[in-house]
Every structure is written in structure tokens, then in C-alpha cells.
PDB file of all heavy atoms in Angstrom:
ATOM      1  N   TRP A   6     160.647 207.035  85.060  1.00 98.00           N
ATOM      2  CA  TRP A   6     160.698 205.658  84.518  1.00 98.00           C
ATOM      3  C   TRP A   6     160.513 205.689  83.036  1.00 98.00           C
ATOM      4  O   TRP A   6     159.585 206.203  82.518  1.00 98.00           O
ATOM      5  CB  TRP A   6     159.587 204.803  85.166  1.00 98.00           C
ATOM      6  CG  TRP A   6     159.733 203.324  84.858  1.00 98.00           C
ATOM      7  CD1 TRP A   6     159.095 202.617  83.822  1.00 98.00           C
ATOM      8  CD2 TRP A   6     160.484 202.388  85.607  1.00 98.00           C
ATOM      9  NE1 TRP A   6     159.416 201.319  83.887  1.00 98.00           N
ATOM     10  CE2 TRP A   6     160.266 201.133  84.960  1.00 98.00           C
ATOM     11  CE3 TRP A   6     161.321 202.437  86.673  1.00 98.00           C
ATOM     12  CZ2 TRP A   6     160.889 199.925  85.423  1.00 98.00           C
ATOM     13  CZ3 TRP A   6     161.922 201.275  87.147  1.00 98.00           C
ATOM     14  CH2 TRP A   6     161.716 200.054  86.510  1.00 98.00           C
ATOM     15  N   ASP A   7     161.480 205.023  82.326  1.00 97.00           N
ATOM     16  CA  ASP A   7     161.402 204.892  80.846  1.00 97.00           C
ATOM     17  C   ASP A   7     161.217 203.379  80.595  1.00 97.00           C
ATOM     18  O   ASP A   7     162.170 202.584  80.761  1.00 97.00           O
ATOM     19  CB  ASP A   7     162.686 205.413  80.259  1.00 97.00           C
ATOM     20  CG  ASP A   7     162.685 205.310  78.763  1.00 97.00           C
ATOM     21  OD1 ASP A   7     162.096 204.353  78.161  1.00 97.00           O
ATOM     22  OD2 ASP A   7     163.336 206.164  78.094  1.00 97.00           O
ATOM     23  N   GLU A   8     160.038 202.946  80.191  1.00 97.00           N
ATOM     24  CA  GLU A   8     159.750 201.541  80.008  1.00 97.00           C
ATOM     25  C   GLU A   8     160.672 200.864  78.993  1.00 97.00           C
ATOM     26  O   GLU A   8     161.102 199.741  79.157  1.00 97.00           O
ATOM     27  CB  GLU A   8     158.305 201.351  79.637  1.00 97.00           C
ATOM     28  CG  GLU A   8     157.829 199.901  79.586  1.00 97.00           C
ATOM     29  CD  GLU A   8     157.793 199.208  80.992  1.00 97.00           C
ATOM     30  OE1 GLU A   8     157.975 199.921  82.005  1.00 97.00           O
ATOM     31  OE2 GLU A   8     157.517 197.982  81.041  1.00 97.00           O
ATOM     32  N   ARG A   9     160.948 201.598  77.912  1.00 97.00           N
ATOM     33  CA  ARG A   9     161.801 200.959  76.845  1.00 97.00           C
ATOM     34  C   ARG A   9     163.206 200.754  77.440  1.00 97.00           C
ATOM     35  O   ARG A   9     163.776 199.696  77.184  1.00 97.00           O
ATOM     36  CB  ARG A   9     161.922 201.915  75.642  1.00 97.00           C
ATOM     37  CG  ARG A   9     162.935 201.405  74.642  1.00 97.00           C
ATOM     38  CD  ARG A   9     163.057 202.330  73.447  1.00 97.00           C
ATOM     39  NE  ARG A   9     162.011 202.152  72.471  1.00 97.00           N
ATOM     40  CZ  ARG A   9     161.955 202.756  71.345  1.00 97.00           C
ATOM     41  NH1 ARG A   9     162.860 203.631  71.004  1.00 97.00           N
ATOM     42  NH2 ARG A   9     160.943 202.492  70.478  1.00 97.00           N
ATOM     43  N   ALA A  10     163.778 201.717  78.130  1.00 98.00           N
ATOM     44  CA  ALA A  10     165.115 201.527  78.785  1.00 98.00           C
ATOM     45  C   ALA A  10     165.124 200.395  79.793  1.00 98.00           C
ATOM     46  O   ALA A  10     166.036 199.614  79.830  1.00 98.00           O
ATOM     47  CB  ALA A  10     165.544 202.837  79.385  1.00 98.00           C
ATOM     48  N   TYR A  11     164.037 200.303  80.558  1.00 98.00           N
ATOM     49  CA  TYR A  11     163.920 199.192  81.506  1.00 98.00           C
ATOM     50  C   TYR A  11     163.926 197.865  80.805  1.00 98.00           C
ATOM     51  O   TYR A  11     164.666 196.921  81.200  1.00 98.00           O
ATOM     52  CB  TYR A  11     162.687 199.388  82.377  1.00 98.00           C
ATOM     53  CG  TYR A  11     162.298 198.084  83.030  1.00 98.00           C
ATOM     54  CD1 TYR A  11     163.122 197.371  83.965  1.00 98.00           C
ATOM     55  CD2 TYR A  11     161.130 197.356  82.586  1.00 98.00           C
ATOM     56  CE1 TYR A  11     162.766 196.203  84.491  1.00 98.00           C
ATOM     57  CE2 TYR A  11     160.784 196.131  83.143  1.00 98.00           C
ATOM     58  CZ  TYR A  11     161.593 195.559  84.077  1.00 98.00           C
ATOM     59  OH  TYR A  11     161.273 194.312  84.594  1.00 98.00           O
ATOM     60  N   LEU A  12     163.086 197.721  79.727  1.00 98.00           N
ATOM     61  CA  LEU A  12     162.988 196.449  79.032  1.00 98.00           C
ATOM     62  C   LEU A  12     164.340 196.013  78.433  1.00 98.00           C
ATOM     63  O   LEU A  12     164.685 194.828  78.393  1.00 98.00           O
ATOM     64  CB  LEU A  12     161.861 196.495  77.980  1.00 98.00           C
ATOM     65  CG  LEU A  12     160.426 196.600  78.521  1.00 98.00           C
ATOM     66  CD1 LEU A  12     159.469 196.778  77.406  1.00 98.00           C
ATOM     67  CD2 LEU A  12     160.103 195.363  79.361  1.00 98.00           C
ATOM     68  N   GLU A  13     165.055 197.000  77.919  1.00 98.00           N
ATOM     69  CA  GLU A  13     166.380 196.691  77.347  1.00 98.00           C
ATOM     70  C   GLU A  13     167.297 196.196  78.469  1.00 98.00           C
ATOM     71  O   GLU A  13     168.037 195.191  78.282  1.00 98.00           O
ATOM     72  CB  GLU A  13     166.999 197.936  76.676  1.00 98.00           C
ATOM     73  CG  GLU A  13     166.280 198.327  75.378  1.00 98.00           C
ATOM     74  CD  GLU A  13     166.811 199.639  74.830  1.00 98.00           C
ATOM     75  OE1 GLU A  13     167.661 200.271  75.485  1.00 98.00           O
ATOM     76  OE2 GLU A  13     166.372 200.004  73.718  1.00 98.00           O
ATOM     77  N   ALA A  14     167.286 196.802  79.635  1.00 98.00           N
ATOM     78  CA  ALA A  14     168.107 196.387  80.730  1.00 98.00           C
ATOM     79  C   ALA A  14     167.679 195.009  81.262  1.00 98.00           C
ATOM     80  O   ALA A  14     168.500 194.168  81.545  1.00 98.00           O
ATOM     81  CB  ALA A  14     168.006 197.397  81.861  1.00 98.00           C
ATOM     82  N   ARG A  15     166.352 194.808  81.236  1.00 98.00           N
ATOM     83  CA  ARG A  15     165.812 193.515  81.679  1.00 98.00           C
ATOM     84  C   ARG A  15     166.304 192.409  80.814  1.00 98.00           C
ATOM     85  O   ARG A  15     166.808 191.359  81.261  1.00 98.00           O
ATOM     86  CB  ARG A  15     164.307 193.571  81.670  1.00 98.00           C
ATOM     87  CG  ARG A  15     163.614 192.299  82.166  1.00 98.00           C
ATOM     88  CD  ARG A  15     162.189 192.198  81.716  1.00 98.00           C
ATOM     89  NE  ARG A  15     162.069 192.022  80.252  1.00 98.00           N
ATOM     90  CZ  ARG A  15     160.922 191.861  79.608  1.00 98.00           C
ATOM     91  NH1 ARG A  15     159.772 191.991  80.269  1.00 98.00           N
ATOM     92  NH2 ARG A  15     160.893 191.675  78.324  1.00 98.00           N
ATOM     93  N   ASP A  16     166.196 192.563  79.513  1.00 98.00           N
ATOM     94  CA  ASP A  16     166.566 191.494  78.528  1.00 98.00           C
ATOM     95  C   ASP A  16     168.095 191.264  78.562  1.00 98.00           C
ATOM     96  O   ASP A  16     168.503 190.115  78.372  1.00 98.00           O
ATOM     97  CB  ASP A  16     166.072 191.861  77.105  1.00 98.00           C
ATOM     98  CG  ASP A  16     164.591 191.690  77.013  1.00 98.00           C
ATOM     99  OD1 ASP A  16     163.911 191.288  77.997  1.00 98.00           O
ATOM    100  OD2 ASP A  16     164.015 191.950  75.891  1.00 98.00           O
ATOM    101  N   ARG A  17     168.905 192.292  78.752  1.00 98.00           N
ATOM    102  CA  ARG A  17     170.341 192.102  78.898  1.00 98.00           C
ATOM    103  C   ARG A  17     170.619 191.190  80.074  1.00 98.00           C
ATOM    104  O   ARG A  17     171.475 190.278  79.995  1.00 98.00           O
ATOM    105  CB  ARG A  17     171.086 193.434  79.048  1.00 98.00           C
ATOM    106  CG  ARG A  17     171.296 194.181  77.768  1.00 98.00           C
ATOM    107  CD  ARG A  17     172.323 195.256  77.967  1.00 98.00           C
ATOM    108  NE  ARG A  17     172.012 196.235  79.057  1.00 98.00           N
ATOM    109  CZ  ARG A  17     171.261 197.295  78.883  1.00 98.00           C
ATOM    110  NH1 ARG A  17     170.802 197.574  77.668  1.00 98.00           N
ATOM    111  NH2 ARG A  17     171.022 198.108  79.886  1.00 98.00           N
ATOM    112  N   ALA A  18     169.974 191.441  81.152  1.00 98.00           N
ATOM    113  CA  ALA A  18     170.189 190.629  82.344  1.00 98.00           C
ATOM    114  C   ALA A  18     169.747 189.182  82.139  1.00 98.00           C
ATOM    115  O   ALA A  18     170.443 188.253  82.588  1.00 98.00           O
ATOM    116  CB  ALA A  18     169.380 191.238  83.545  1.00 98.00           C
ATOM    117  N   ILE A  19     168.623 188.975  81.443  1.00 98.00           N
ATOM    118  CA  ILE A  19     168.152 187.626  81.245  1.00 98.00           C
ATOM    119  C   ILE A  19     169.092 186.864  80.295  1.00 98.00           C
ATOM    120  O   ILE A  19     169.409 185.723  80.559  1.00 98.00           O
ATOM    121  CB  ILE A  19     166.731 187.675  80.626  1.00 98.00           C
ATOM    122  CG1 ILE A  19     165.761 188.233  81.682  1.00 98.00           C
ATOM    123  CG2 ILE A  19     166.301 186.257  80.195  1.00 98.00           C
ATOM    124  CD1 ILE A  19     164.351 188.540  81.095  1.00 98.00           C
ATOM    125  N   ARG A  20     169.612 187.514  79.309  1.00 98.00           N
ATOM    126  CA  ARG A  20     170.578 186.886  78.386  1.00 98.00           C
ATOM    127  C   ARG A  20     171.832 186.461  79.130  1.00 98.00           C
ATOM    128  O   ARG A  20     172.421 185.410  78.900  1.00 98.00           O
ATOM    129  CB  ARG A  20     170.889 187.778  77.217  1.00 98.00           C
ATOM    130  CG  ARG A  20     169.720 187.956  76.240  1.00 98.00           C
ATOM    131  CD  ARG A  20     170.148 188.777  75.015  1.00 98.00           C
ATOM    132  NE  ARG A  20     169.067 188.757  74.043  1.00 98.00           N
ATOM    133  CZ  ARG A  20     168.234 189.799  73.851  1.00 98.00           C
ATOM    134  NH1 ARG A  20     168.328 190.873  74.598  1.00 98.00           N
ATOM    135  NH2 ARG A  20     167.257 189.701  72.962  1.00 98.00           N
ATOM    136  N   ASN A  21     172.274 187.342  80.035  1.00 98.00           N
ATOM    137  CA  ASN A  21     173.451 187.033  80.821  1.00 98.00           C
ATOM    138  C   ASN A  21     173.175 185.820  81.731  1.00 98.00           C
ATOM    139  O   ASN A  21     174.029 184.954  81.937  1.00 98.00           O
ATOM    140  CB  ASN A  21     173.928 188.227  81.666  1.00 98.00           C
ATOM    141  CG  ASN A  21     175.230 187.991  82.395  1.00 98.00           C
ATOM    142  OD1 ASN A  21     176.266 187.770  81.795  1.00 98.00           O
ATOM    143  ND2 ASN A  21     175.139 187.943  83.762  1.00 98.00           N
ATOM    144  N   TRP A  22     171.978 185.792  82.299  1.00 98.00           N
ATOM    145  CA  TRP A  22     171.553 184.685  83.184  1.00 98.00           C
ATOM    146  C   TRP A  22     171.544 183.364  82.397  1.00 98.00           C
ATOM    147  O   TRP A  22     172.018 182.356  82.900  1.00 98.00           O
ATOM    148  CB  TRP A  22     170.193 185.010  83.804  1.00 98.00           C
ATOM    149  CG  TRP A  22     169.722 183.987  84.762  1.00 98.00           C
ATOM    150  CD1 TRP A  22     170.002 183.900  86.098  1.00 98.00           C
ATOM    151  CD2 TRP A  22     168.797 182.910  84.443  1.00 98.00           C
ATOM    152  NE1 TRP A  22     169.316 182.824  86.652  1.00 98.00           N
ATOM    153  CE2 TRP A  22     168.627 182.200  85.674  1.00 98.00           C
ATOM    154  CE3 TRP A  22     168.202 182.490  83.329  1.00 98.00           C
ATOM    155  CZ2 TRP A  22     167.797 181.110  85.738  1.00 98.00           C
ATOM    156  CZ3 TRP A  22     167.395 181.341  83.403  1.00 98.00           C
ATOM    157  CH2 TRP A  22     167.191 180.644  84.626  1.00 98.00           C
ATOM    158  N   ILE A  23     170.989 183.390  81.207  1.00 98.00           N
ATOM    159  CA  ILE A  23     170.971 182.241  80.353  1.00 98.00           C
ATOM    160  C   ILE A  23     172.372 181.708  80.135  1.00 98.00           C
ATOM    161  O   ILE A  23     172.658 180.505  80.233  1.00 98.00           O
ATOM    162  CB  ILE A  23     170.310 182.517  79.004  1.00 98.00           C
ATOM    163  CG1 ILE A  23     168.794 182.793  79.197  1.00 98.00           C
ATOM    164  CG2 ILE A  23     170.503 181.368  78.017  1.00 98.00           C
ATOM    165  CD1 ILE A  23     168.067 183.328  77.944  1.00 98.00           C
ATOM    166  N   ARG A  24     173.309 182.632  79.772  1.00 97.00           N
ATOM    167  CA  ARG A  24     174.693 182.236  79.468  1.00 97.00           C
ATOM    168  C   ARG A  24     175.355 181.545  80.647  1.00 97.00           C
ATOM    169  O   ARG A  24     176.067 180.542  80.457  1.00 97.00           O
ATOM    170  CB  ARG A  24     175.475 183.489  79.031  1.00 97.00           C
ATOM    171  CG  ARG A  24     176.933 183.224  78.742  1.00 97.00           C
ATOM    172  CD  ARG A  24     177.658 184.496  78.347  1.00 97.00           C
ATOM    173  NE  ARG A  24     177.595 185.488  79.396  1.00 97.00           N
ATOM    174  CZ  ARG A  24     178.497 185.479  80.467  1.00 97.00           C
ATOM    175  NH1 ARG A  24     179.400 184.542  80.529  1.00 97.00           N
ATOM    176  NH2 ARG A  24     178.418 186.363  81.360  1.00 97.00           N
ATOM    177  N   ILE A  25     175.150 182.062  81.840  1.00 98.00           N
ATOM    178  CA  ILE A  25     175.806 181.531  83.014  1.00 98.00           C
ATOM    179  C   ILE A  25     175.119 180.303  83.584  1.00 98.00           C
ATOM    180  O   ILE A  25     175.687 179.260  83.836  1.00 98.00           O
ATOM    181  CB  ILE A  25     175.959 182.607  84.101  1.00 98.00           C
ATOM    182  CG1 ILE A  25     176.897 183.730  83.578  1.00 98.00           C
ATOM    183  CG2 ILE A  25     176.486 182.051  85.400  1.00 98.00           C
ATOM    184  CD1 ILE A  25     177.004 184.921  84.518  1.00 98.00           C
ATOM    185  N   ARG A  26     173.802 180.406  83.809  1.00 98.00           N
ATOM    186  CA  ARG A  26     173.063 179.342  84.492  1.00 98.00           C
ATOM    187  C   ARG A  26     172.911 178.107  83.665  1.00 98.00           C
ATOM    188  O   ARG A  26     172.778 176.984  84.185  1.00 98.00           O
ATOM    189  CB  ARG A  26     171.709 179.837  84.918  1.00 98.00           C
ATOM    190  CG  ARG A  26     171.724 180.751  86.091  1.00 98.00           C
ATOM    191  CD  ARG A  26     172.083 180.059  87.438  1.00 98.00           C
ATOM    192  NE  ARG A  26     172.967 180.929  88.180  1.00 98.00           N
ATOM    193  CZ  ARG A  26     174.155 180.640  88.652  1.00 98.00           C
ATOM    194  NH1 ARG A  26     174.657 179.429  88.395  1.00 98.00           N
ATOM    195  NH2 ARG A  26     174.848 181.495  89.313  1.00 98.00           N
ATOM    196  N   LEU A  27     172.870 178.214  82.332  1.00 97.00           N
ATOM    197  CA  LEU A  27     172.716 177.029  81.475  1.00 97.00           C
ATOM    198  C   LEU A  27     174.037 176.662  80.817  1.00 97.00           C
ATOM    199  O   LEU A  27     174.066 175.884  79.848  1.00 97.00           O
ATOM    200  CB  LEU A  27     171.641 177.292  80.398  1.00 97.00           C
ATOM    201  CG  LEU A  27     170.259 177.364  81.006  1.00 97.00           C
ATOM    202  CD1 LEU A  27     169.251 177.931  80.022  1.00 97.00           C
ATOM    203  CD2 LEU A  27     169.741 175.981  81.471  1.00 97.00           C
ATOM    204  N   ASP A  28     175.149 177.170  81.365  1.00 97.00           N
ATOM    205  CA  ASP A  28     176.447 176.725  80.911  1.00 97.00           C
ATOM    206  C   ASP A  28     176.641 175.254  81.112  1.00 97.00           C
ATOM    207  O   ASP A  28     176.215 174.712  82.171  1.00 97.00           O
ATOM    208  CB  ASP A  28     177.523 177.511  81.659  1.00 97.00           C
ATOM    209  CG  ASP A  28     178.967 177.237  81.147  1.00 97.00           C
ATOM    210  OD1 ASP A  28     179.474 176.146  81.497  1.00 97.00           O
ATOM    211  OD2 ASP A  28     179.459 178.065  80.456  1.00 97.00           O
ATOM    212  N   PRO A  29     177.245 174.516  80.188  1.00 97.00           N
ATOM    213  CA  PRO A  29     177.410 173.023  80.320  1.00 97.00           C
ATOM    214  C   PRO A  29     178.153 172.643  81.595  1.00 97.00           C
ATOM    215  O   PRO A  29     177.957 171.522  82.066  1.00 97.00           O
ATOM    216  CB  PRO A  29     178.170 172.624  79.091  1.00 97.00           C
ATOM    217  CG  PRO A  29     177.864 173.696  78.071  1.00 97.00           C
ATOM    218  CD  PRO A  29     177.724 174.984  78.843  1.00 97.00           C
ATOM    219  N   ARG A  30     178.898 173.553  82.243  1.00 97.00           N
ATOM    220  CA  ARG A  30     179.660 173.217  83.428  1.00 97.00           C
ATOM    221  C   ARG A  30     178.804 173.305  84.669  1.00 97.00           C
ATOM    222  O   ARG A  30     179.282 172.890  85.754  1.00 97.00           O
ATOM    223  CB  ARG A  30     180.920 174.085  83.501  1.00 97.00           C
ATOM    224  CG  ARG A  30     181.925 173.842  82.440  1.00 97.00           C
ATOM    225  CD  ARG A  30     182.963 174.942  82.387  1.00 97.00           C
ATOM    226  NE  ARG A  30     182.362 176.192  81.897  1.00 97.00           N
ATOM    227  CZ  ARG A  30     183.061 177.256  81.672  1.00 97.00           C
ATOM    228  NH1 ARG A  30     184.370 177.305  81.849  1.00 97.00           N
ATOM    229  NH2 ARG A  30     182.446 178.370  81.251  1.00 97.00           N
ATOM    230  N   GLN A  31     177.612 173.814  84.587  1.00 97.00           N
ATOM    231  CA  GLN A  31     176.796 174.027  85.807  1.00 97.00           C
ATOM    232  C   GLN A  31     176.361 172.651  86.294  1.00 97.00           C
ATOM    233  O   GLN A  31     175.945 171.759  85.506  1.00 97.00           O
ATOM    234  CB  GLN A  31     175.606 174.905  85.493  1.00 97.00           C
ATOM    235  CG  GLN A  31     175.987 176.353  85.280  1.00 97.00           C
ATOM    236  CD  GLN A  31     176.412 177.064  86.562  1.00 97.00           C
ATOM    237  OE1 GLN A  31     175.908 176.770  87.644  1.00 97.00           O
ATOM    238  NE2 GLN A  31     177.370 177.988  86.449  1.00 97.00           N
ATOM    239  N   PRO A  32     176.229 172.466  87.637  1.00 97.00           N
ATOM    240  CA  PRO A  32     175.831 171.183  88.201  1.00 97.00           C
ATOM    241  C   PRO A  32     174.352 170.957  88.242  1.00 97.00           C
ATOM    242  O   PRO A  32     173.736 170.754  89.330  1.00 97.00           O
ATOM    243  CB  PRO A  32     176.467 171.267  89.632  1.00 97.00           C
ATOM    244  CG  PRO A  32     176.320 172.717  89.971  1.00 97.00           C
ATOM    245  CD  PRO A  32     176.600 173.465  88.695  1.00 97.00           C
ATOM    246  N   ILE A  33     173.728 171.015  87.077  1.00 97.00           N
ATOM    247  CA  ILE A  33     172.264 170.931  87.003  1.00 97.00           C
ATOM    248  C   ILE A  33     171.875 169.819  86.091  1.00 97.00           C
ATOM    249  O   ILE A  33     172.672 169.215  85.383  1.00 97.00           O
ATOM    250  CB  ILE A  33     171.704 172.264  86.500  1.00 97.00           C
ATOM    251  CG1 ILE A  33     172.253 172.585  85.106  1.00 97.00           C
ATOM    252  CG2 ILE A  33     172.003 173.415  87.471  1.00 97.00           C
ATOM    253  CD1 ILE A  33     171.623 173.832  84.452  1.00 97.00           C
ATOM    254  N   ASP A  34     170.583 169.535  86.057  1.00 97.00           N
ATOM    255  CA  ASP A  34     170.023 168.631  85.030  1.00 97.00           C
ATOM    256  C   ASP A  34     169.751 169.475  83.808  1.00 97.00           C
ATOM    257  O   ASP A  34     168.779 170.247  83.757  1.00 97.00           O
ATOM    258  CB  ASP A  34     168.688 167.975  85.527  1.00 97.00           C
ATOM    259  CG  ASP A  34     168.131 166.989  84.569  1.00 97.00           C
ATOM    260  OD1 ASP A  34     168.276 167.188  83.353  1.00 97.00           O
ATOM    261  OD2 ASP A  34     167.528 166.016  84.979  1.00 97.00           O
TER     262      ASP A  34
END
């Protein structure tokens, strides 16, 4: 386990999630 490599992978995933889930076309409030 390399904590720095994990955190980089984690943050990439979160940024992608932000881009998709908070897209203006999503059926959310």
C-alpha cells in the first residue's frame, strides 16, 4: 500500500464524480 498513490487515485475519482453527478442535466435539486 502506497498512501500517496491511493490519495491521488481517490481524488481523481471524486473529481470525476463531481463532474458527472453535479452536471446541470442531472435530475437533482
Side-chain angles (χ1 to χ4, degrees):
W6 190 267
D7 182 328
E8 186 70 6
R9 172 182 279 184
Y11 159 67
L12 291 174
E13 289 175 355
R15 182 199 71 179
D16 286 0
R17 280 197 302 273
I19 294 170
R20 289 186 173 99
N21 185 64
W22 183 85
I23 292 170
R24 179 180 61 81
I25 294 174
R26 285 290 142 235
L27 290 166
D28 185 282
R30 293 167 292 185
Q31 290 289 326
I33 60 174
D34 183 327

